[in-house]
Amino acid sequence: MSDMEKANILHQLKSEFDVPPELLEMLLKQISNKDIKENFARITSGLTIEDSYKHIFSSLPWIKNISGLHQAQAEKYKKNFQIPDYLLLVENSQKNNFPLLIDVKYVKGAATQCSIIPKQKHTLRQYAKAHQQPLLIAIYWERFGYWTHNCLSHFGGKKQNKIDWQTAICNDLSHLLSDYTFRIDQPFYRKTIFPKPADHSNRSHARHKKYGNFDSIFIGKSIDKLSKEDELFYSIIIDANFNAKTVTTEDHENHVCLIEEFSSQPSMIKTSQWLLTITQLMNIKPSLEVNEMHVLEMARYVIVDLMHRLGYSPSYNIPPNKNACTDQLFELAYKDTIVMRDYLQG
């Protein structure tokens, strides 16, 4: 077992158990590679992003399986092949599944460019070619809280191994995985009823900092046609992504009625980006499950249902930089669909 594989196992141990510092230090001493040992925190931050990727994207409907490819690899094979992080099975427009290799990259802090070591780029490509499976690079841009999926052929520069965030977003293929982007081009409204006096007792529920716990909520694209929503999770989903503008506040004898407007300006929001903000707002781990259901899967369902009910349709980005990789993936995912027609005509 290589020292990097030992570091990966130790990371998984830390993720699942409360490991005392002295035990962690003792286990780290069993890693002989000085660079890996001294950079364990940096290495494990990247592994945490890989774990987050798995939980975020396994909640999407077209992903039928995500398998981690962390197999032990003999040193003699690494000269020609590098194993990517994940193998996905993705459902296409024909309701069939196709395999897709994913290698995860993490662009930390304020950085706006992702680089791949040229040798790594070559060995990843060789692995994908040998297995006859398409490959995408999944990049997490910490500065924007945003995931993109790009072909290796989207990387440029002197050594063809760099991509900046603008190029990555313009050529993002995340929608192949049902990571839809919604265009909010018209405002919508929420009416919330709060009982009086303000009730702040149940701190496990979503609540307003001034008016306390909700009694009921109503949502719609017209103030005059708001539908009652029994599940308060819809309100949390809205607050995770939109800033509210108060329209009216009515103070009645037994309750307060607050009407708010959302998104008076056009905005674009991607499902994975929305899911990330939910984990931050609710301060939860992406792996959290409640009653044997993944919280992010529940949130994704609510997002898609809310957008459908409000009449906002998903959009599918057509990359300006078309190449053999994008040709293959659009054919695999969207054969005989309007999206494929738009790609060919775009």
Side-chain angles (χ1 to χ4, degrees):
M1 181 182 296
S2 71
D3 281 346
M4 183 57 76
E5 288 160 353
K6 290 179 181 178
N8 198 344
I9 291 173
L10 187 50
H11 162 71
Q12 296 299 327
L13 183 66
K14 281 184 58 187
S15 300
E16 301 297 332
F17 296 94
D18 184 11
V19 181
E22 57 274 16
L23 177 58
L24 176 62
E25 185 62 29
M26 183 186 73
L27 293 172
L28 276 173
K29 287 180 180 179
Q30 298 180 41
I31 296 177
S32 56
N33 187 303
K34 184 179 178 181
D35 288 338
I36 294 176
K37 188 185 303 182
E38 293 181 350
N39 291 286
F40 180 73
R42 177 184 59 78
I43 292 168
T44 53
S45 69
L47 294 173
T48 300
I49 292 299
E50 290 179 22
D51 292 341
S52 178
Y53 178 88
K54 178 181 67 177
H55 296 303
I56 290 285
F57 285 90
S58 65
S59 72
L60 302 182
W62 295 354
I63 302 300
K64 300 307 178 184
N65 191 56
I66 294 184
S67 300
L69 300 180
H70 300 297
Q71 306 103 319
Q73 185 180 18
E75 194 66 33
K76 64 180 181 179
Y77 300 127
K78 294 181 180 179
K79 179 180 179 181
N80 295 315
F81 303 106
Q82 173 162 323
I83 302 174
D85 294 310
Y86 293 108
L87 173 63
L88 277 55
L89 287 179
V90 184
E91 184 178 86
N92 64 15
S93 60
Q94 313 298 314
K95 300 298 181 181
N96 297 318
N97 299 330
F98 67 91
L100 179 63
L101 295 168
I102 298 290
D103 201 60
V104 177
K105 301 299 177 189
Y106 177 23
V107 181
K108 297 184 68 173
T112 58
Q113 182 173 269
C114 177
S115 299
I116 297 180
I117 299 170
K119 178 185 175 182
Q120 184 185 59
K121 180 181 176 181
H122 171 73
T123 51
L124 281 169
R125 180 172 277 155
Q126 287 290 98
Y127 183 94
K129 182 179 179 181
H131 286 265
Q132 299 181 11
Q133 294 168 338
L135 168 72
L136 286 176
I137 307 300
I139 309 170
Y140 180 63
W141 305 87
E142 185 177 49
R143 180 179 183 181
F144 310 104
Y146 201 88
W147 282 99
T148 64
H149 288 80
N150 299 100
C151 296
L152 278 173
S153 46
H154 288 140
F155 285 68
K158 186 177 180 180
K159 297 182 180 179
Q160 299 293 297
N161 69 322
K162 297 180 180 180
I163 189 169
D164 58 52
W165 69 272
Q166 295 100 326
T167 303
I169 291 176
C170 285
N171 293 283
D172 182 24
L173 300 177
S174 296
H175 55 79
L176 295 169
L177 314 182
S178 60
D179 188 8
Y180 313 117
T181 296
F182 295 96
R183 185 172 188 267
I184 316 299
D185 54 358
Q186 295 179 4
F188 66 95
Y189 301 88
R190 176 177 66 190
K191 179 171 74 174
T192 310
I193 306 298
F194 302 93
K196 290 177 64 177
D199 178 13
H200 295 275
S201 60
N202 195 339
R203 296 186 176 274
S204 64
H205 285 191
R207 63 187 187 280
H208 192 280
K209 61 182 180 182
K210 179 178 179 181
Y211 302 119
N213 295 325
F214 301 166
D215 178 71
S216 55
I217 61 172
F218 304 78
I219 301 170
K221 291 187 78 171
S222 169
I223 295 177
D224 299 325
K225 296 181 180 179
L226 299 174
S227 300
K228 185 175 181 181
E229 180 50 63
D230 294 327
E231 177 52 68
L232 295 182
F233 197 30
Y234 280 75
S235 205
I236 296 173
I237 295 296
I238 291 171
D239 289 331
N241 190 59
F242 298 97
N243 293 320
K245 175 184 175 183
T246 299
V247 177
T248 60
T249 304
E250 300 175 359
D251 194 347
H252 299 272
E253 181 178 355
N254 298 318
H255 68 273
V256 173
C257 175
L258 174 66
I259 297 180
E260 300 163 295
E261 178 184 293
F262 298 91
S263 187
S264 58
Q265 299 296 325
S267 63
M268 306 289 286
I269 180 66
K270 197 159 69 160
T271 306
S272 61
Q273 184 184 16
W274 205 335
L275 292 172
L276 280 168
T277 59
I278 289 166
T279 64
Q280 294 163 0
L281 177 69
M282 298 179 67
N283 192 28
I284 61 173
K285 291 183 177 181
S287 59
L288 179 66
E289 292 186 6
V290 176
N291 297 326
E292 298 184 354
M293 184 172 185
H294 201 292
V295 169
L296 291 183
E297 187 173 358
M298 186 191 311
R300 185 268 305 166
Y301 173 83
V302 170
I303 288 170
V304 175
D305 183 60
L306 177 66
M307 293 294 95
H308 174 74
R309 285 164 50 184
L310 291 174
Y312 302 122
S313 300
S315 63
Y316 303 85
N317 178 54
I318 304 300
N321 182 2
K322 297 178 183 178
N323 48 56
C325 172
T326 60
D327 289 348
Q328 178 191 22
L329 286 168
F330 268 80
E331 180 70 16
L332 283 170
Y334 299 121
K335 184 179 180 180
D336 299 329
T337 66
I338 293 175
V339 178
M340 188 67 192
R341 183 201 65 189
D342 291 344
Y343 175 80
L344 294 173
Q345 295 178 353

